[in-house]
Amino acid sequence: EITSTTSITTCVLPLTYCPRSGCSFTANQMDDVSDYLWNNSLDLAKETLHLEFLNKLKSYTMKAERYLKFTLQDMVYLDGLTAMLKEMSEKVTEPEDLKVFIEGRHSSYKKFRDSCLQSLFIKDLNSIEPMPAMQKYLDTYREVMKESDPVYFVVALLPCPRAWSWIAQNLQLPKHSVHYIRKSDSESGQSEKHYRPILNKYLNSTEKLQKANDIFRRQMQNEHDFFYTS
């Protein structure tokens, strides 16, 4: 999954910790909504970190064909999400800060997608079918797109950069590993800073936070399943 123009894919503990949906919380219980959502799904991030796919990277036993499949599916994700961000950028006209955020994400994803296609000498991705886990991931985005409040699409975007940054920081790869560049590029988590003011401003009620928590956790599960089935 892609989170910035430099990485393929991109905490302050809340006062209340709730790892599953169905919990009760209010907007004034935390300093930062994105950290709150992340901590509520940290268990899925930890499970993902110890999956066989990532263990293969660490042990130098990853087969080239398997990693190629993973990379191509990642490109399917990038291409699909770029198209959805374009649609959202045309759909969302207000509020202004949310409009600017979505336009910025679309510009960033498009730039990186185009760069990847060029570097891999791929003209288009129409001939590559998404694997079931990837199809489910993209379908979740499309489902969230139907929401009347576009802030939930912002929520759906966040698990990718948060998960990839955290995994990169915690994945023990030596600098001479062929995969170290990808790990290094994903570590900074710079794109996360764009999400914080939007989520803190608009997820301002218990109902909105609960809904955001459910969406965030579904997307974290999709991240997990993508690695699990790759």
Side-chain angles (χ1 to χ4, degrees), residues 19-20 119-120 185 203 228:
R20 306 294 176 186
S119 65
L120 294 172
D185 285 346
L203 296 178
Y228 180 78

Side-chain angles (χ1 to χ4, degrees), residues 108-126:
S108 178
Y109 274 71
K110 183 179 184 301
K111 182 178 180 180
F112 190 55
R113 180 202 61 185
D114 293 347
S115 174
C116 287
L117 290 175
Q118 183 179 14
S119 65
L120 294 172
F121 298 96
I122 298 175
K123 186 175 182 180
D124 64 66
L125 293 161
N126 292 330

Side-chain angles (χ1 to χ4, degrees), residues 16-213:
T16 307
Y17 178 73
C18 171
R20 306 294 176 186
S21 60
C23 57
S24 176
F25 42 73
T26 59
N28 62 2
Q29 283 183 302
M30 66 208 71
D31 295 324
D32 186 90
V33 170
S34 62
D35 284 345
Y36 189 89
L37 297 173
W38 171 252
N39 282 300
N40 286 350
S41 290
L42 187 56
D43 59 314
L44 286 171
K46 290 179 178 179
E47 287 180 22
T48 303
L49 181 63
H50 297 292
L51 290 175
E52 184 214 15
F53 182 89
L54 293 175
N55 285 331
K56 290 284 187 182
L57 291 183
K58 291 190 294 184
S59 63
Y60 303 101
T61 56
M62 175 67 69
K63 291 184 177 181
E65 294 84 356
R66 185 176 181 182
Y67 193 74
L68 175 59
K69 173 186 172 184
F70 173 83
T71 301
L72 290 175
Q73 289 297 312
D74 209 17
M75 288 297 301
V76 169
Y77 171 92
L78 175 58
D79 190 56
L81 185 53
T82 300
M84 284 185 272
L85 280 165
K86 182 178 186 298
E87 184 177 341
M88 288 295 292
S89 70
E90 296 169 349
K91 173 183 175 183
V92 178
T93 58
E94 58 180 19
E96 181 65 21
D97 54 354
L98 194 52
K99 175 179 181 293
V100 169
F101 171 87
I102 293 175
E103 288 176 344
R105 291 298 86 202
H106 172 247
S107 176
S108 178
Y109 274 71
K110 183 179 184 301
K111 182 178 180 180
F112 190 55
R113 180 202 61 185
D114 293 347
S115 174
C116 287
L117 290 175
Q118 183 179 14
S119 65
L120 294 172
F121 298 96
I122 298 175
K123 186 175 182 180
D124 64 66
L125 293 161
N126 292 330
S127 62
I128 303 175
E129 295 184 3
M131 60 194 291
M134 181 53 65
Q135 186 65 61
K136 178 172 171 285
Y137 202 164
L138 294 172
D139 285 346
T140 302
Y141 275 115
R142 294 187 181 96
E143 180 182 335
V144 176
M145 282 179 68
K146 298 176 183 177
E147 295 286 347
S148 58
D149 192 337
V151 72
Y152 295 117
F153 194 79
V154 178
V155 173
L157 288 169
L158 181 57
C160 176
R162 292 274 336 216
W164 279 65
S165 175
W166 185 87
I167 289 172
Q169 291 169 22
N170 289 276
L171 187 64
Q172 301 301 314
L173 284 180
K175 290 186 177 181
H176 60 266
S177 169
V178 67
H179 303 291
Y180 184 81
I181 293 178
R182 187 164 185 174
K183 163 185 156 63
S184 180
D185 285 346
S186 299
E187 281 182 325
S188 67
Q190 287 297 309
S191 66
E192 296 172 26
K193 65 183 180 182
H194 301 288
Y195 293 80
R196 295 181 185 276
I198 295 292
L199 299 184
N200 287 337
K201 180 178 180 179
Y202 292 106
L203 296 178
N204 54 10
S205 72
T206 301
E207 181 181 1
K208 290 179 179 179
L209 285 168
Q210 179 65 73
K211 188 169 186 176
N213 189 65

